[in-house]
Amino acid sequence: MTKKTIKSAVTLALVPEIKTGPWIYWEELETSMSKAAALGFDGIELFTPSGTNIDNNHLTQLLKTHSLELAAVGTGAGKVIHGLTLTDPNPAIREQAISFIKEMILFGAQHGAPAIIGSMQGNVVNGIEREQSVAWLAEGLEIVEKIAFEQGVFLIYEPLNRYETNMFNTLAAGVEFIQHHTLTNVKLLADLFHMNIEEDNSAKSILNYGNHIGHVHFADSNRRPMGNGQTNMSEIANALKEIHYTGYLSAEAFPWPTPDDAAQQTIYSFNHYFNSK
Ligand SMILES: [Mn+2]
């Protein structure tokens, strides 16, 4: 595998319940991985129903065969399939959420990949004080970041746009939260689609909070593959280079107009901004 400072990844979903979501590949694991490899992606980001759905040895073998890395694993299935969040007022559900995330961390860590906490952060719900919800989120993250640390990986917390969570919506708010609660093994996900909605200036936020960014979701303003919307990607690419970002740009985008076209557009944009000499 060639060494690049910034690496490319493409999302691969194996969860039928989220069929309308922003994931590029939907075919079975091996087919999608060989397509990703053929296009020259460095890694894949996996969305699985749980942390025990895929045989680890089989995945190790496939990653090796296709010279791909596991960039990250998503935990969204915990919310979509099981309704689990770290801020549910019911302590039994919060506990199940932690168990689900723990399994996902152990799965990813087998392949050196961090787990992402996005929709499983939940929301401040009716009848609950914001302070309480934030405390529950911090408590949950504290437990799972420790498990990740023991496994030699970090944990990724993703600020989402206001239509998906009322917890934290910007990199600034995310950084303040993880610092206030001394969540030292938590890095932030800079999702360019969410940021387009919430940040005053995405490039500036990347420059300001660069040392906290552990993963980037690579999608245009309309969540289509980069190049199909109005994001000023060259400004953002310059910011990522300036902070010496060395993680993944992972295409969490709609498979528009088709999964294969979306993957191709993504790698084209990636190479245009990061691999052109
Ligand atoms: Mn995202």
Side-chain angles (χ1 to χ4, degrees), residues 80-147:
V80 178
I81 301 178
H82 307 290
L84 304 174
T85 71
L86 293 172
T87 49
D88 195 290
N90 180 343
I93 295 197
R94 295 201 301 277
E95 208 170 298
Q96 286 174 47
I98 288 168
S99 303
F100 184 91
I101 293 166
K102 180 184 170 180
E103 256 184 21
M104 211 51 107
I105 289 170
L106 297 179
F107 166 52
Q110 293 276 323
H111 310 279
I116 299 168
I117 313 296
S119 62
M120 281 195 78
Q121 68 191 277
N123 276 287
V124 181
V125 295
N126 274 343
I128 303 290
E129 293 291 327
R130 177 170 178 85
E131 234 169 81
Q132 177 63 76
S133 302
V134 171
W136 283 333
L137 179 62
E139 270 169 40
L141 289 180
E142 204 175 318
I143 294 168
V144 292
E145 75 152 7
K146 211 171 146 218
I147 294 164

Side-chain angles (χ1 to χ4, degrees), residues 254-272:
F254 289 120
W256 183 90
T258 70
D260 291 338
D261 290 326
Q264 217 156 11
Q265 174 63 33
T266 292
I267 201 70
Y268 171 83
S269 285
F270 180 85
N271 288 332
H272 175 74

Side-chain angles (χ1 to χ4, degrees), residues 22 45 116 158-160 189-194 217 223 252:
E45 179 175 326
I116 299 168
E158 178 171 18
L160 305 173
L189 202 162
D191 181 309
L192 301 180
F193 163 73
H194 295 307
H217 275 161
R223 222 175 199 180
E252 188 189 57

